[in-house]
Amino acid sequence: MHSEVDTLYQKMRGANGEELFAFKGMMNDDILGEILSRVEDTLSEYESLMKLQRRINVIAVEILQNIFHHFEGVDSTTVNDPSHNIVMFLLSKGKDAYYIIAGNYVPIETAEFLKEKIDSINNLSVEELKKRYRKVLSNGDFSEQGGAGLGIIDIARKSGQKLDYDFITNDNRNSFFTIKVSVPV
């Protein structure tokens, strides 16, 4: 599985315009903070529109927080195994959009939950997304996975695009989840 993740990472690097920032490695609190800091610094160098910078930064924060949240659920017998403690994060700029691509291992049950959640969000119109966001926010409609799905809804709202995702599953405990978000310029 680890070699498939390496291949995926190499394939995604350079496939979506100019690479601005890339990370692949072990995840912890310090690394999460460092990635967020580097993304913010990189965006300030490349993008003069503050509103667009903030949108991209909010999406990056949501994606990384989701990665960190779901990463904590990975089978504890494999969490210290470097082959299962892999996170990838890429920020690139194409002609018409910025791209944020991230990936991490999630438990099989979480993979099913994420697939259902993202598919349902991708089927909503812009207005339906706004309504769903307000409903979840006001109801505190939290799931068994620990979240209300607000992060995924917010990513879709802020990007204005459908969320592209995939899962690589080679064992019966964990899947490698990737998400790609396009943010038009």
Side-chain angles (χ1 to χ4, degrees), residues 93-137:
K93 184 176 191 235
K95 182 180 173 194
D96 301 320
Y98 281 87
Y99 300 97
I100 300 168
I101 304 167
N104 65 294
Y105 283 97
V106 295
I108 292 285
E109 309 78 49
T110 301
E112 289 302 314
F113 171 80
L114 285 170
K115 182 180 180 345
E116 289 172 16
K117 181 66 72 177
I118 294 171
D119 285 346
S120 73
I121 289 167
N122 278 344
N123 287 324
L124 299 176
S125 68
V126 172
E127 192 55 41
E128 290 169 326
L129 264 175
K130 287 179 188 175
K131 287 179 184 174
R132 170 87 56 97
Y133 183 80
R134 284 190 220 114
K135 178 184 176 210
V136 171
L137 196 59

Short mmCIF file of all heavy atoms in Angstrom, two decimals, residues 93-137:
data_model
loop_
_atom_site.label_atom_id
_atom_site.label_comp_id
_atom_site.label_asym_id
_atom_site.label_seq_id
_atom_site.Cartn_x
_atom_site.Cartn_y
_atom_site.Cartn_z
N LYS A 93 -1.03 25.89 -8.25
CA LYS A 93 -1.77 26.94 -8.93
C LYS A 93 -1.77 26.66 -10.42
O LYS A 93 -0.72 26.55 -11.05
CB LYS A 93 -1.13 28.30 -8.67
CG LYS A 93 -1.91 29.45 -9.28
CD LYS A 93 -1.31 30.79 -8.92
CE LYS A 93 -2.29 31.86 -9.31
NZ LYS A 93 -1.75 32.86 -10.17
N GLY A 94 -2.97 26.49 -10.97
CA GLY A 94 -3.13 26.32 -12.39
C GLY A 94 -3.51 27.66 -13.03
O GLY A 94 -3.55 28.68 -12.36
N LYS A 95 -3.82 27.61 -14.28
CA LYS A 95 -4.18 28.82 -15.02
C LYS A 95 -5.46 29.47 -14.46
O LYS A 95 -5.53 30.68 -14.31
CB LYS A 95 -4.38 28.47 -16.49
CG LYS A 95 -4.71 29.64 -17.37
CD LYS A 95 -4.88 29.21 -18.81
CE LYS A 95 -5.38 30.39 -19.63
NZ LYS A 95 -5.86 29.99 -20.94
N ASP A 96 -6.45 28.64 -14.13
CA ASP A 96 -7.75 29.15 -13.71
C ASP A 96 -8.15 28.83 -12.28
O ASP A 96 -9.24 29.20 -11.85
CB ASP A 96 -8.85 28.59 -14.64
CG ASP A 96 -8.61 28.97 -16.09
OD1 ASP A 96 -8.19 30.11 -16.34
OD2 ASP A 96 -8.82 28.11 -16.97
N ALA A 97 -7.28 28.12 -11.55
CA ALA A 97 -7.68 27.70 -10.20
C ALA A 97 -6.46 27.35 -9.36
O ALA A 97 -5.39 27.04 -9.88
CB ALA A 97 -8.61 26.49 -10.27
N TYR A 98 -6.68 27.40 -8.06
CA TYR A 98 -5.74 26.81 -7.10
C TYR A 98 -6.28 25.42 -6.81
O TYR A 98 -7.48 25.19 -6.84
CB TYR A 98 -5.70 27.62 -5.80
CG TYR A 98 -4.85 28.86 -5.89
CD1 TYR A 98 -5.38 30.06 -6.33
CD2 TYR A 98 -3.51 28.83 -5.52
CE1 TYR A 98 -4.61 31.20 -6.41
CE2 TYR A 98 -2.72 29.97 -5.59
CZ TYR A 98 -3.28 31.15 -6.04
OH TYR A 98 -2.50 32.27 -6.12
N TYR A 99 -5.36 24.50 -6.50
CA TYR A 99 -5.75 23.13 -6.18
C TYR A 99 -5.16 22.74 -4.84
O TYR A 99 -3.98 22.97 -4.59
CB TYR A 99 -5.26 22.15 -7.26
CG TYR A 99 -5.82 22.46 -8.61
CD1 TYR A 99 -5.08 23.20 -9.53
CD2 TYR A 99 -7.10 22.04 -8.96
CE1 TYR A 99 -5.61 23.51 -10.78
CE2 TYR A 99 -7.62 22.34 -10.20
CZ TYR A 99 -6.88 23.08 -11.11
OH TYR A 99 -7.41 23.40 -12.33
N ILE A 100 -6.00 22.17 -4.01
CA ILE A 100 -5.56 21.61 -2.74
C ILE A 100 -5.86 20.12 -2.81
O ILE A 100 -7.00 19.72 -3.03
CB ILE A 100 -6.30 22.24 -1.55
CG1 ILE A 100 -6.05 23.75 -1.52
CG2 ILE A 100 -5.86 21.59 -0.24
CD1 ILE A 100 -6.97 24.49 -0.57
N ILE A 101 -4.82 19.32 -2.64
CA ILE A 101 -4.96 17.87 -2.69
C ILE A 101 -4.37 17.32 -1.40
O ILE A 101 -3.24 17.70 -1.03
CB ILE A 101 -4.24 17.26 -3.90
CG1 ILE A 101 -4.73 17.91 -5.20
CG2 ILE A 101 -4.42 15.75 -3.93
CD1 ILE A 101 -3.88 17.61 -6.40
N ALA A 102 -5.12 16.50 -0.72
CA ALA A 102 -4.62 15.94 0.53
C ALA A 102 -5.03 14.48 0.62
O ALA A 102 -6.00 14.04 0.00
CB ALA A 102 -5.20 16.71 1.72
N GLY A 103 -4.26 13.73 1.41
CA GLY A 103 -4.57 12.32 1.58
C GLY A 103 -4.06 11.80 2.90
O GLY A 103 -3.07 12.29 3.44
N ASN A 104 -4.76 10.81 3.42
CA ASN A 104 -4.36 10.16 4.67
C ASN A 104 -5.12 8.85 4.82
O ASN A 104 -6.11 8.61 4.14
CB ASN A 104 -4.65 11.07 5.86
CG ASN A 104 -6.12 11.32 6.07
OD1 ASN A 104 -6.77 11.96 5.25
ND2 ASN A 104 -6.67 10.83 7.16
N TYR A 105 -4.61 8.02 5.72
CA TYR A 105 -5.30 6.77 6.03
C TYR A 105 -6.48 7.04 6.94
O TYR A 105 -6.42 7.90 7.83
CB TYR A 105 -4.35 5.79 6.73
CG TYR A 105 -3.40 5.13 5.78
CD1 TYR A 105 -2.11 5.63 5.62
CD2 TYR A 105 -3.78 4.03 5.03
CE1 TYR A 105 -1.23 5.04 4.73
CE2 TYR A 105 -2.91 3.43 4.14
CZ TYR A 105 -1.64 3.94 3.99
OH TYR A 105 -0.78 3.36 3.11
N VAL A 106 -7.57 6.33 6.69
CA VAL A 106 -8.75 6.38 7.55
C VAL A 106 -9.24 4.95 7.75
O VAL A 106 -9.01 4.09 6.90
CB VAL A 106 -9.90 7.23 6.94
CG1 VAL A 106 -9.51 8.69 6.81
CG2 VAL A 106 -10.36 6.68 5.60
N PRO A 107 -9.90 4.71 8.89
CA PRO A 107 -10.49 3.37 9.08
C PRO A 107 -11.54 3.11 8.00
O PRO A 107 -12.17 4.05 7.50
CB PRO A 107 -11.15 3.47 10.46
CG PRO A 107 -10.50 4.62 11.13
CD PRO A 107 -10.11 5.57 10.04
N ILE A 108 -11.74 1.86 7.65
CA ILE A 108 -12.71 1.47 6.63
C ILE A 108 -14.09 2.07 6.92
O ILE A 108 -14.75 2.57 6.01
CB ILE A 108 -12.81 -0.08 6.53
CG1 ILE A 108 -11.52 -0.66 5.97
CG2 ILE A 108 -14.02 -0.51 5.72
CD1 ILE A 108 -11.32 -0.48 4.49
N GLU A 109 -14.52 2.04 8.18
CA GLU A 109 -15.84 2.57 8.53
C GLU A 109 -15.92 4.07 8.24
O GLU A 109 -16.93 4.57 7.78
CB GLU A 109 -16.17 2.36 10.02
CG GLU A 109 -16.00 0.96 10.56
CD GLU A 109 -14.54 0.60 10.83
OE1 GLU A 109 -13.79 1.37 11.47
OE2 GLU A 109 -14.13 -0.48 10.37
N THR A 110 -14.83 4.78 8.50
CA THR A 110 -14.78 6.22 8.24
C THR A 110 -14.82 6.46 6.74
O THR A 110 -15.45 7.42 6.27
CB THR A 110 -13.52 6.84 8.87
OG1 THR A 110 -13.56 6.62 10.28
CG2 THR A 110 -13.46 8.34 8.60
N ALA A 111 -14.17 5.60 5.97
CA ALA A 111 -14.17 5.73 4.51
C ALA A 111 -15.60 5.68 3.98
O ALA A 111 -16.00 6.49 3.14
CB ALA A 111 -13.32 4.64 3.88
N GLU A 112 -16.39 4.73 4.48
CA GLU A 112 -17.79 4.63 4.05
C GLU A 112 -18.58 5.88 4.42
O GLU A 112 -19.36 6.40 3.64
CB GLU A 112 -18.44 3.39 4.65
CG GLU A 112 -17.94 2.09 4.07
CD GLU A 112 -18.14 2.02 2.56
OE1 GLU A 112 -19.24 2.35 2.07
OE2 GLU A 112 -17.19 1.63 1.86
N PHE A 113 -18.37 6.36 5.65
CA PHE A 113 -19.04 7.58 6.12
C PHE A 113 -18.66 8.77 5.23
O PHE A 113 -19.53 9.54 4.81
CB PHE A 113 -18.65 7.84 7.58
CG PHE A 113 -19.10 9.18 8.09
CD1 PHE A 113 -20.41 9.39 8.49
CD2 PHE A 113 -18.20 10.23 8.19
CE1 PHE A 113 -20.83 10.62 8.96
CE2 PHE A 113 -18.61 11.48 8.66
CZ PHE A 113 -19.93 11.66 9.04
N LEU A 114 -17.35 8.93 4.94
CA LEU A 114 -16.89 10.05 4.12
C LEU A 114 -17.47 9.99 2.70
O LEU A 114 -17.88 11.00 2.14
CB LEU A 114 -15.36 10.07 4.04
CG LEU A 114 -14.63 10.57 5.27
CD1 LEU A 114 -13.13 10.30 5.16
CD2 LEU A 114 -14.89 12.05 5.49
N LYS A 115 -17.47 8.79 2.14
CA LYS A 115 -18.01 8.62 0.78
C LYS A 115 -19.47 9.06 0.73
O LYS A 115 -19.87 9.83 -0.14
CB LYS A 115 -17.86 7.17 0.34
CG LYS A 115 -18.36 6.91 -1.07
CD LYS A 115 -18.19 5.47 -1.46
CE LYS A 115 -18.66 5.12 -2.83
NZ LYS A 115 -19.52 6.01 -3.55
N GLU A 116 -20.27 8.58 1.68
CA GLU A 116 -21.70 8.95 1.72
C GLU A 116 -21.87 10.45 1.92
O GLU A 116 -22.70 11.09 1.26
CB GLU A 116 -22.41 8.19 2.83
CG GLU A 116 -22.58 6.72 2.55
CD GLU A 116 -23.11 5.95 3.75
OE1 GLU A 116 -23.64 6.58 4.69
OE2 GLU A 116 -22.98 4.71 3.75
N LYS A 117 -21.08 11.02 2.84
CA LYS A 117 -21.18 12.45 3.14
C LYS A 117 -20.81 13.30 1.93
O LYS A 117 -21.53 14.22 1.56
CB LYS A 117 -20.27 12.78 4.33
CG LYS A 117 -20.29 14.22 4.78
CD LYS A 117 -21.60 14.67 5.35
CE LYS A 117 -21.85 14.10 6.71
NZ LYS A 117 -23.09 14.59 7.30
N ILE A 118 -19.69 12.99 1.30
CA ILE A 118 -19.24 13.78 0.15
C ILE A 118 -20.19 13.61 -1.03
O ILE A 118 -20.53 14.59 -1.70
CB ILE A 118 -17.78 13.42 -0.24
CG1 ILE A 118 -16.84 13.84 0.89
CG2 ILE A 118 -17.39 14.12 -1.54
CD1 ILE A 118 -15.41 13.34 0.73
N ASP A 119 -20.64 12.40 -1.29
CA ASP A 119 -21.60 12.19 -2.38
C ASP A 119 -22.88 13.00 -2.15
O ASP A 119 -23.40 13.62 -3.09
CB ASP A 119 -21.95 10.70 -2.53
CG ASP A 119 -20.83 9.91 -3.18
OD1 ASP A 119 -19.89 10.51 -3.75
OD2 ASP A 119 -20.88 8.65 -3.10
N SER A 120 -23.38 13.02 -0.93
CA SER A 120 -24.61 13.77 -0.66
C SER A 120 -24.37 15.27 -0.83
O SER A 120 -25.22 15.98 -1.36
CB SER A 120 -25.18 13.45 0.72
OG SER A 120 -24.41 14.03 1.74
N ILE A 121 -23.21 15.76 -0.43
CA ILE A 121 -22.88 17.18 -0.57
C ILE A 121 -22.68 17.54 -2.05
O ILE A 121 -23.12 18.59 -2.50
CB ILE A 121 -21.65 17.53 0.29
CG1 ILE A 121 -22.06 17.50 1.76
CG2 ILE A 121 -21.06 18.87 -0.10
CD1 ILE A 121 -20.91 17.51 2.72
N ASN A 122 -22.02 16.66 -2.80
CA ASN A 122 -21.80 16.92 -4.23
C ASN A 122 -23.11 16.98 -5.02
O ASN A 122 -23.15 17.56 -6.09
CB ASN A 122 -20.88 15.85 -4.83
CG ASN A 122 -19.42 16.15 -4.58
OD1 ASN A 122 -19.03 17.25 -4.21
ND2 ASN A 122 -18.59 15.13 -4.77
N ASN A 123 -24.17 16.37 -4.48
CA ASN A 123 -25.46 16.39 -5.18
C ASN A 123 -26.30 17.62 -4.87
O ASN A 123 -27.40 17.76 -5.41
CB ASN A 123 -26.26 15.13 -4.83
CG ASN A 123 -25.69 13.90 -5.52
OD1 ASN A 123 -25.22 13.97 -6.65
ND2 ASN A 123 -25.71 12.79 -4.82
N LEU A 124 -25.81 18.52 -4.02
CA LEU A 124 -26.57 19.70 -3.63
C LEU A 124 -26.23 20.90 -4.50
O LEU A 124 -25.09 21.07 -4.93
CB LEU A 124 -26.28 20.06 -2.16
CG LEU A 124 -26.63 19.01 -1.11
CD1 LEU A 124 -26.19 19.49 0.27
CD2 LEU A 124 -28.12 18.70 -1.12
N SER A 125 -27.22 21.74 -4.71
CA SER A 125 -27.00 23.01 -5.40
C SER A 125 -26.36 23.98 -4.41
O SER A 125 -26.28 23.70 -3.20
CB SER A 125 -28.33 23.59 -5.89
OG SER A 125 -29.11 23.98 -4.77
N VAL A 126 -25.93 25.14 -4.89
CA VAL A 126 -25.34 26.16 -4.02
C VAL A 126 -26.33 26.56 -2.92
O VAL A 126 -25.96 26.65 -1.75
CB VAL A 126 -24.92 27.40 -4.85
CG1 VAL A 126 -24.48 28.54 -3.95
CG2 VAL A 126 -23.80 27.02 -5.81
N GLU A 127 -27.57 26.76 -3.30
CA GLU A 127 -28.59 27.15 -2.32
C GLU A 127 -28.85 26.03 -1.31
O GLU A 127 -28.99 26.27 -0.11
CB GLU A 127 -29.89 27.54 -3.04
CG GLU A 127 -30.90 28.22 -2.15
CD GLU A 127 -30.37 29.46 -1.43
OE1 GLU A 127 -29.64 30.26 -2.04
OE2 GLU A 127 -30.68 29.60 -0.23
N GLU A 128 -28.90 24.79 -1.79
CA GLU A 128 -29.10 23.65 -0.89
C GLU A 128 -27.93 23.48 0.08
O GLU A 128 -28.13 23.12 1.24
CB GLU A 128 -29.31 22.36 -1.70
CG GLU A 128 -30.63 22.31 -2.44
CD GLU A 128 -30.70 21.16 -3.43
OE1 GLU A 128 -29.67 20.80 -4.04
OE2 GLU A 128 -31.81 20.61 -3.61
N LEU A 129 -26.71 23.78 -0.41
CA LEU A 129 -25.54 23.72 0.47
C LEU A 129 -25.66 24.73 1.60
O LEU A 129 -25.37 24.42 2.76
CB LEU A 129 -24.26 24.04 -0.32
CG LEU A 129 -23.45 22.90 -0.85
CD1 LEU A 129 -22.30 23.41 -1.70
CD2 LEU A 129 -22.95 21.99 0.23
N LYS A 130 -26.10 25.95 1.26
CA LYS A 130 -26.29 26.99 2.29
C LYS A 130 -27.31 26.53 3.32
O LYS A 130 -27.10 26.69 4.53
CB LYS A 130 -26.76 28.30 1.65
CG LYS A 130 -25.70 29.04 0.88
CD LYS A 130 -26.28 30.30 0.29
CE LYS A 130 -25.29 30.96 -0.64
NZ LYS A 130 -25.86 32.12 -1.32
N LYS A 131 -28.42 25.97 2.84
CA LYS A 131 -29.46 25.50 3.75
C LYS A 131 -28.95 24.38 4.65
O LYS A 131 -29.21 24.34 5.84
CB LYS A 131 -30.69 25.03 2.97
CG LYS A 131 -31.50 26.15 2.37
CD LYS A 131 -32.68 25.62 1.58
CE LYS A 131 -33.43 26.75 0.90
NZ LYS A 131 -34.49 26.25 0.03
N ARG A 132 -28.23 23.41 4.04
CA ARG A 132 -27.68 22.29 4.82
C ARG A 132 -26.72 22.80 5.87
O ARG A 132 -26.74 22.36 7.02
CB ARG A 132 -26.99 21.29 3.89
CG ARG A 132 -26.17 20.21 4.57
CD ARG A 132 -26.92 18.95 4.98
NE ARG A 132 -27.61 18.28 3.92
CZ ARG A 132 -27.13 17.24 3.23
NH1 ARG A 132 -25.94 16.76 3.51
NH2 ARG A 132 -27.84 16.69 2.29
N TYR A 133 -25.87 23.75 5.50
CA TYR A 133 -24.90 24.31 6.44
C TYR A 133 -25.62 24.96 7.64
O TYR A 133 -25.28 24.69 8.79
CB TYR A 133 -24.03 25.35 5.72
CG TYR A 133 -22.94 25.93 6.58
CD1 TYR A 133 -21.75 25.25 6.80
CD2 TYR A 133 -23.10 27.18 7.18
CE1 TYR A 133 -20.75 25.79 7.58
CE2 TYR A 133 -22.10 27.73 7.97
CZ TYR A 133 -20.92 27.03 8.15
OH TYR A 133 -19.94 27.56 8.94
N ARG A 134 -26.63 25.78 7.33
CA ARG A 134 -27.38 26.45 8.41
C ARG A 134 -28.11 25.43 9.29
O ARG A 134 -28.14 25.56 10.51
CB ARG A 134 -28.38 27.44 7.82
CG ARG A 134 -27.72 28.71 7.35
CD ARG A 134 -28.77 29.75 6.99
NE ARG A 134 -28.33 30.44 5.79
CZ ARG A 134 -28.92 30.39 4.62
NH1 ARG A 134 -30.03 29.71 4.45
NH2 ARG A 134 -28.42 31.03 3.59
N LYS A 135 -28.68 24.41 8.66
CA LYS A 135 -29.42 23.40 9.41
C LYS A 135 -28.50 22.64 10.37
O LYS A 135 -28.81 22.47 11.55
CB LYS A 135 -30.10 22.42 8.45
CG LYS A 135 -30.85 21.31 9.16
CD LYS A 135 -31.43 20.31 8.18
CE LYS A 135 -32.09 19.18 8.96
NZ LYS A 135 -32.05 17.93 8.27
N VAL A 136 -27.36 22.18 9.86
CA VAL A 136 -26.42 21.43 10.69
C VAL A 136 -25.89 22.33 11.80
O VAL A 136 -25.77 21.90 12.96
CB VAL A 136 -25.27 20.85 9.84
CG1 VAL A 136 -24.18 20.26 10.71
CG2 VAL A 136 -25.80 19.79 8.88
N LEU A 137 -25.60 23.58 11.46
CA LEU A 137 -25.08 24.52 12.45
C LEU A 137 -26.09 24.79 13.56
O LEU A 137 -25.76 24.77 14.74
CB LEU A 137 -24.69 25.83 11.75
CG LEU A 137 -23.81 26.81 12.50
CD1 LEU A 137 -22.49 26.16 12.87
CD2 LEU A 137 -23.57 28.03 11.64
#
